[in-house]
């Protein structure tokens, strides 16, 4: 009997035949109402769940799915998946780290270029029949700081260094001896050494609020900030204040605390560019991500090791009463 996969992701429908052709039965539940109904109605049928970091899978949902064996997360982040609940049940969790790195890096550089060169204001002015001579900085020769030098951070660094002659520094959980970029021991040190700062780190408790008032002060009034990571990496109130008071020059954001809601204070600012969490979306990235999910599912249900496992916390050990 084919394994049944509950699909919570709303952006991959065109590529779901990849999984169907591998023999998996799919239940689509992209809205909160459909999700709740599917968990209740099909609880005993679901063997696997396909989700993404912000959508997650919660402890009560895991408890409601007695036959759940594997959770596959699209993209690198898995911040809303209850890893402890999965570990307690012995459920495997995988992610798609690195598959969409090119797409996210392209979007990061697009946001940076648009922000620094003020493309939205130029576009709006021309549409109004105006012809302003807006003087903006160049990217060439500037200092780029990257918070998180994983697959996405590396893709950004290569584009910045090779394509724009930028000097690259980074902060990471660990120093990397395999890269030519300068390591900074703290986010504040990184910001102080940067003209532009890009957050490219995963979300979760380990990276929560790494970008705060102190870091933004270190970036300074001529500095620009781009976030294609997770909103949890930033203290949003500190960012808004820094932008309002021009303690930094501007910000470009693809991620927000309560998506799809965006603070009105951010919408009102002229020195901010906003995009609707689409950095990782491209046909190439989506196809590659679904293909990786398929390989993980096939491996798991064939009794083989999955390709991209997430390290889980220790599960609860229950002992029989003597």
């Amino acid at each position: 009997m084919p394994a049944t996969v509950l699909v919570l992701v709303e952006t991959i429908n065109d590529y779901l035949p990849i999984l169907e052709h591998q023999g998996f039965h799919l239940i689509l539940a992209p809205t909160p109402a459909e999700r709740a109904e599917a968990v209740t109605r099909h609880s005993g049928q679901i063997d696997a769940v396909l989700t993404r970091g912000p959508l997650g899978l919660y402890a009560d949902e895991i408890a409601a799915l007695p036959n759940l064996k594997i959770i596959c997360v699209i993209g690198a982040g898995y911040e809303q998946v209850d890893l402890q609940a999965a570990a307690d049940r012995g459920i495997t969790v995988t992610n798609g780290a690195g598959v969409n790195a090119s797409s996210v890096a392209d979007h990061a550089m697009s946001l940076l270029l648009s922000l620094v060169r003020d493309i939205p204001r130029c576009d709006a002015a021309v549409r109004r029949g105006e012809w302003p001579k807006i003087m903006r900085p160049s990217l060439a020769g500037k200092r780029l700081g990257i918070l998180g030098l994983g697959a996405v951070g590396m893709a950004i660094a290569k584009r910045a260094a090779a394509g724009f002659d930028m000097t690259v520094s980074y902060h990471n959980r660990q120093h990397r001896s395999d890269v030519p970029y300068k390591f900074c021991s703290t986010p504040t040190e990184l910001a102080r050494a940067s003209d532009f700062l890009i957050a490219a780190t995963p979300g979760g408790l380990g990276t929560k609020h790494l970008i705060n008032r102190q870091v933004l002060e270190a970036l300074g009034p001529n500095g620009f900030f781009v976030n294609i990571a997770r909103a949890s990496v930033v203290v949003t109130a500190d960012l808004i204040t820094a932008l309002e008071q021009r303690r930094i020059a501007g910000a470009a954001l693809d991620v927000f605390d309560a998506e799809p809601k965006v603070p009105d204070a951010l919408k009102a600012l002229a020195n901010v560019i906003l995009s609707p969490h689409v950095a990782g979306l491209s046909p190439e990235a989506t196809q590659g991500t679904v293909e990786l999910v398929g390989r993980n599912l096939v491996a798991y249900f064939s009794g083989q090791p999955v390709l991209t496992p997430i390290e889980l916390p220790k599960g609860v050990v229950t002992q029989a009463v003597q």
Side-chain angles (χ1 to χ4, degrees):
M1 188 172 179
T4 297
V5 183
L6 174 62
V7 180
L8 304 180
V9 183
E10 72 278 24
T11 57
I12 61 172
N13 285 5
D14 290 347
Y15 301 92
L16 290 178
I18 293 171
L19 303 181
E20 292 173 325
H21 292 157
Q22 292 172 314
F24 297 105
H25 172 63
L26 306 183
I27 297 173
L28 308 187
T31 69
E34 291 170 330
R35 173 173 174 162
E37 181 185 2
V39 169
T40 301
R41 184 177 177 184
H42 303 288
S43 60
Q45 301 173 242
I46 295 168
D47 303 292
V49 171
L50 174 52
T51 186
R52 60 186 179 89
L55 294 175
L57 194 69
Y58 303 106
D60 60 331
E61 295 174 314
I62 292 172
L65 301 174
N67 293 318
L68 180 62
K69 303 173 183 69
I70 180 171
I71 302 166
C72 294
V73 185
I74 281 183
Y78 45 88
E79 64 274 14
Q80 295 301 328
V81 175
D82 196 313
L83 298 183
Q84 186 64 63
D88 293 346
R89 282 266 305 278
I91 295 169
T92 297
V93 182
T94 69
N95 74 345
V99 178
N100 65 358
S102 290
S103 176
V104 178
D106 289 348
H107 199 77
M109 294 305 296
S110 298
L111 287 176
L112 182 63
L113 282 162
S114 296
L115 178 65
V116 174
R117 297 296 299 169
D118 206 0
I119 302 301
R121 185 158 65 105
C122 292
D123 176 85
V126 173
R127 291 173 188 274
R128 291 192 301 265
E130 301 168 4
W131 203 253
K133 297 303 179 183
I134 297 173
M135 186 78 67
R136 300 292 291 186
S138 170
L139 272 69
K142 294 299 193 300
R143 303 169 302 161
L144 176 67
I146 302 175
L147 183 67
L149 203 65
V152 171
M154 278 296 296
I156 293 170
K158 290 176 181 178
R159 284 159 173 73
F164 292 93
D165 297 321
M166 298 174 72
T167 301
V168 177
S169 300
Y170 72 98
H171 172 72
N172 215 39
R173 283 177 295 181
Q174 294 180 333
H175 175 266
R176 292 187 56 165
S177 59
D178 60 333
V179 300
Y181 313 121
K182 178 186 174 184
F183 174 72
C184 295
S185 59
T186 67
T188 302
E189 179 186 339
L190 178 66
R192 192 173 292 117
S194 303
D195 299 303
F196 314 137
L197 179 63
I198 298 180
T201 186
L205 292 176
T207 60
K208 186 174 183 179
H209 293 172
L210 286 180
I211 304 294
N212 54 25
R213 177 174 179 172
Q214 181 180 3
V215 173
L216 295 169
E217 292 282 0
L219 184 59
N222 295 317
F224 294 89
F225 172 65
V226 174
N227 191 3
I228 43 77
R230 289 290 187 265
S232 60
V233 175
V234 183
V235 181
T236 301
D238 289 355
L239 177 61
I240 290 172
T241 298
L243 288 163
E244 289 175 338
Q245 299 180 0
R246 300 285 173 157
R247 295 207 301 268
I248 66 171
L253 310 173
D254 186 53
V255 287
F256 307 92
D257 289 310
E259 297 176 3
K261 296 179 180 178
V262 177
D264 289 338
L266 285 174
K267 295 178 184 178
L269 290 167
N271 55 345
V272 177
I273 294 176
L274 310 171
S275 66
H277 201 156
V278 293
L281 296 184
S282 69
E284 300 85 354
T286 304
Q287 178 174 335
T289 298
V290 176
E291 288 174 345
L292 177 57
V293 168
R295 292 197 296 272
N296 274 318
L297 289 172
V298 168
Y300 181 86
F301 289 106
S302 300
Q304 303 297 317
V306 295
L307 283 74
T308 54
I310 296 301
E311 183 177 355
L312 300 180
K314 291 183 179 181
V316 173
V317 178
T318 57
Q319 294 181 335
V321 177
Q322 301 296 320

